[in-house]
Amino acid sequence: MSDQLNIKVPDSCPHCGHKLTPWQQVLLKVDKALVCKNCWYRIILEDVGEQNKTDKKDSEK
């Protein structure tokens, strides 16, 4: 659960720069995916915690 709190949610679309509403940011944080209403770009949050775990496993090999 603490990993979920540490996820950084962007405040705008990375594709077109359209500002996300606070509610859209909450939905993005919970669902980890959201479609921008301006350009229909699919914003996907990668789980940083899982990525760090895979990086550690790769470095141990």
Side-chain angles (χ1 to χ4, degrees):
M1 175 125 182
S2 62
D3 290 339
Q4 201 171 34
L5 296 174
N6 294 331
I7 297 173
K8 184 176 179 181
V9 178
D11 61 346
S12 61
C13 173
H15 186 251
C16 70
H18 185 76
K19 186 164 175 65
L20 300 175
T21 65
W23 178 243
Q24 288 174 320
Q25 292 177 19
V26 169
L27 291 175
L28 181 59
K29 188 171 187 174
V30 171
D31 296 339
K32 297 184 179 178
L34 183 78
V35 175
C36 176
K37 287 185 173 184
N38 189 45
C39 67
W40 297 98
Y41 179 78
R42 187 171 183 177
I43 305 166
I44 300 173
L45 285 183
E46 294 182 20
D47 193 353
V48 176
E50 288 185 14
Q51 188 176 13
N52 287 341
K53 289 179 184 175
T54 56
D55 290 344
K56 287 180 182 176
K57 289 180 183 176
D58 291 340
S59 65
E60 292 175 358
K61 292 182 180 178

